[in-house]
Amino acid sequence: MTAAEARRDELPVVETEVLVVGAGPTGLMAAVVLGRAGVPAVVIDHKAGPTRESRALAVQARTMEIYDQLGLSAQVIADAFDATTMQIGDAPSGRLDISTAQVGDTAFPGVRIFEQSRNERLLYGTLTEAGSDVLWEHRLVDLVDRTDDADGRISALVEGPDGLLRIVARWCIGADGASSSVRRQLDLRFEGVTDDATFWVADLRDVRGVPESSMALTFGARTFAVAFPLGPNGHTRLISLAPHDAVTQEQAMASAHDDLGLTVGTVEWFSTYRVHHRVASAFRVRSVFLAGDAAHVHSPVGGQGMNTGLQDAHNLALLLADVCHGRVTEAALDRYARERRPVALHLVHVTDRAFGVIGRRNPLIALFRKRLSAIMAVVAPRLLSTALGARLTGLLGQYRIRYAFNADGGGTPAWADNPTVGRRLPPADDNGADVRSLTWQLHTYGAGTVPRPDVPEWVEGPIAHRADPRGRLRSNRMYLIRPDEFVAAAIPLRHDGPDPAAVRAALAAHDVRAENLL
């Protein structure tokens, strides 16, 4: 042992199951879910407390479903400002009713404007009410992963107001933002590009020229902007292509007036940035994971970033809980990157392509934007009323994400040959109330009384529901639901009950421990 290692071993030690680095929305969501699932966690953050700036704004439908599972959706609804429509250009025909297109597919259609600071306060309050807290003003200095050794652990050197300490954990979640120190400790690449054009963002009062309670895309001769309603009386977030680099607040407001035709009152917050489209080269290295902006960053215009991070945390925390409680093997941890990294890659590629076309300061591109907006104002409302429109708004709401099942060998097993497998459980017969227990469950829909198959005791059910009127959940199947509300399997029902071989195969494919396979 070196002298440095000896001094390190003499430091105060905090032991836990999971170290969460970063107390933004992603890190706080991970901590809340881990706590609900009975897994000890320690959260550190270099900041002095929760974020005060609004930053990210939109809470999409899938995130609302997660908040509902945690019993927090009513608080979001009470404090959020609803944005159910999107206005494209100036023509009345350009109003898109997102909420209507999502009705029936989610219990929370539309978009809630619930700023990052409010998400953090909600999650931090939930965490402290449960008796936990965050080690504020604590900075990660070093991270050593010895979990490949027998009884090995992760050892983190952390610097706080009272000096250095060690945190020893079984796993670590890096949720510490785009400049992640955890990602740097892992020496992972942050692959992607940064757009050349500069954008500005501002929270404004008394804005005139955009709809009062709708999101809006507005186009000028040189630039364009996306408007998000923050509240009544013109309280608005504007994100706009800057007329030139190094734009000042005064120049940005002049551009909003002269090019976009907007009247602006008080400026509450202003910043400039360049759009990054980047994904970490890996989401997991041994017992260390990346989530949220530490793992992926992209344009904020679609209101997807914070939601994707919150869903990363939800997925990962429940997976770690299953491993911690001995339900599934360590091999199941590969599932996190297999499921969540493709989501991030798809989102980054879509926004990268879109901004590669429209996010430029070029007269021809500006003319193209104007003409495209006129076409979309006519076409988009019609498209929204079709099945394709429902799929597109489902992707916007992030409840149409599908995790691919990787079967060993060729072909799809009978229990995976169903459109619901890999998707979050469609709402039917108040089944959202069932999943609030954060447990594995068996559901049937319109099948009557079905005998319980040989499954581990920690799998609840079968819970009998009425038939799904939309036919998404079939009466000839028994559905295995994961704690994160995703459908793990659709087991064929025979005359004497669920197919035993399909049950065993589905559980084995999800890495359920052999001793739990009856």
Side-chain angles (χ1 to χ4, degrees):
M1 178 183 294
T2 67
E5 289 174 328
R7 287 194 297 271
R8 184 177 181 135
D9 287 343
E10 293 171 0
L11 294 173
V13 176
V14 176
E15 295 194 10
T16 189
E17 284 295 293
V18 184
L19 167 62
V20 180
V21 182
T26 300
L28 290 171
M29 173 64 80
V32 167
V33 175
L34 287 166
R36 293 286 180 88
V39 179
V42 171
V43 187
I44 66 170
D45 197 294
H46 66 87
K47 303 191 305 291
T51 299
R52 294 185 178 182
E53 297 87 2
S54 57
R55 297 189 183 179
L57 289 178
V59 173
Q60 303 286 359
R62 174 61 193 142
T63 301
M64 286 299 300
E65 293 172 352
I66 292 173
Y67 274 138
D68 189 61
Q69 187 185 30
L70 297 172
L72 302 175
S73 60
Q75 295 179 57
V76 178
I77 292 170
D79 293 337
F81 191 77
D82 286 355
T84 59
T85 59
M86 167 68 82
Q87 176 73 41
I88 299 178
D90 300 326
S93 61
R95 180 69 63 92
L96 311 180
D97 192 338
I98 298 169
S99 178
T100 298
Q102 293 180 335
V103 168
D105 289 326
T106 177
F108 302 95
V111 177
R112 271 92 186 161
I113 304 302
F114 192 67
E115 304 98 309
Q116 177 175 332
S117 57
R118 293 188 178 187
N119 281 271
E120 291 189 20
R121 287 199 300 269
L122 173 63
L123 291 167
Y124 181 54
T126 303
L127 188 67
T128 56
E129 287 172 8
S132 298
D133 208 334
V134 173
L135 295 179
W136 298 110
E137 299 183 278
H138 281 70
R139 178 179 64 90
L140 180 68
V141 176
D142 188 37
L143 190 67
V144 178
D145 185 351
R146 295 193 178 95
T147 53
D148 283 349
D149 301 338
D151 299 321
R153 306 279 280 182
I154 289 171
S155 177
L157 184 63
V158 174
E159 183 179 35
D162 298 324
L164 295 173
L165 71 143
R166 279 198 310 137
I167 300 178
V168 177
R170 183 174 178 182
W171 297 292
C172 174
I173 300 175
D176 49 342
S179 58
S180 170
S181 59
V182 174
R183 191 182 64 244
R184 290 197 302 270
Q185 291 278 341
L186 298 175
D187 198 25
L188 292 174
R189 299 181 306 279
F190 209 25
E191 300 168 338
V193 298
T194 299
D195 289 342
D196 292 333
T198 298
F199 282 75
W200 60 263
V201 55
D203 288 352
L204 307 165
R205 294 278 182 178
D206 302 318
V207 176
R208 298 293 179 264
V210 295
E212 177 70 19
S213 60
S214 173
M215 297 174 289
L217 277 167
T218 182
F219 298 87
R222 299 176 60 201
T223 66
F224 72 96
V226 184
F228 294 90
L230 298 179
N233 303 318
H235 192 195
T236 304
R237 159 76 61 85
L238 278 183
I239 301 174
S240 177
L241 177 65
H244 52 77
D245 292 337
V247 66
T248 65
Q249 178 178 309
E250 291 72 19
Q251 292 168 335
M253 296 306 106
S255 174
H257 181 273
D258 299 340
D259 191 45
L260 301 174
L262 306 180
T263 300
V264 174
T266 305
V267 179
E268 295 183 320
W269 172 66
F270 175 84
S271 185
T272 61
Y273 65 95
R274 287 186 173 177
V275 175
H276 302 273
H277 311 270
R278 298 187 181 277
V279 179
S281 55
F283 278 23
R284 177 194 177 195
V285 177
R286 295 162 64 192
S287 296
V288 183
F289 302 82
L290 298 179
D293 285 356
H296 47 79
V297 294
H298 43 81
S299 165
V301 168
Q304 302 290 297
M306 179 174 65
N307 293 271
T308 308
L310 290 168
Q311 291 166 48
D312 288 346
H314 182 251
N315 176 299
L316 177 57
L318 289 170
L319 177 57
L320 292 175
D322 275 340
V323 176
C324 185
H325 295 312
R327 298 171 189 140
V328 299
T329 68
E330 293 269 350
L333 296 175
D334 292 337
R335 195 183 81 201
Y336 171 66
R338 189 172 67 239
E339 293 180 346
R340 296 304 300 173
R341 195 165 185 271
V343 173
L345 285 169
H346 177 72
L347 183 57
V348 165
H349 289 162
V350 168
T351 58
D352 186 14
R353 287 194 296 268
F355 269 76
V357 174
I358 68 170
R360 298 178 184 175
R361 289 194 299 267
N362 178 296
L364 290 177
I365 295 296
L367 180 61
F368 171 76
R369 286 194 298 257
K370 289 279 284 186
R371 291 186 175 178
L372 179 63
S373 69
I375 294 171
M376 290 303 296
V378 175
V379 173
R382 299 174 184 174
L383 177 66
L384 212 59
S385 63
T386 68
L388 177 58
R391 287 196 290 273
L392 291 174
T393 56
L395 292 172
L396 174 69
Q398 297 200 354
Y399 55 81
R400 285 194 64 86
I401 289 170
R402 185 169 191 175
Y403 299 146
F405 170 72
N406 297 329
D408 293 331
T412 302
W415 58 265
D417 187 16
N418 186 275
T420 60
V421 175
R423 296 193 187 278
R424 74 88 168 88
L425 179 67
D429 193 34
D430 198 28
N431 55 5
D434 299 323
V435 297
R436 289 175 189 150
S437 62
L438 298 174
T439 56
W440 288 78
Q441 298 180 351
L442 294 169
H443 287 198
T444 61
Y445 292 84
T449 302
V450 176
R452 177 180 169 89
D454 287 336
V455 293
E457 52 85 20
W458 40 262
V459 178
E460 295 182 359
I463 302 170
H465 288 278
R466 291 172 294 185
D468 177 6
R470 301 183 67 179
R472 299 161 299 184
L473 298 161
R474 302 173 186 173
S475 61
N476 63 349
R477 296 278 178 145
M478 172 180 283
Y479 295 90
L480 177 64
I481 315 300
R482 300 189 326 199
D484 65 352
E485 303 179 274
F486 275 73
V487 178
I491 310 296
L493 289 176
R494 308 184 311 189
H495 68 279
D496 56 347
D499 181 345
V503 172
R504 287 193 296 271
L507 293 172
H510 287 86
D511 298 297
V512 170
R513 295 180 69 88
E515 57 267 33
N516 290 325
L517 298 177
L518 304 178

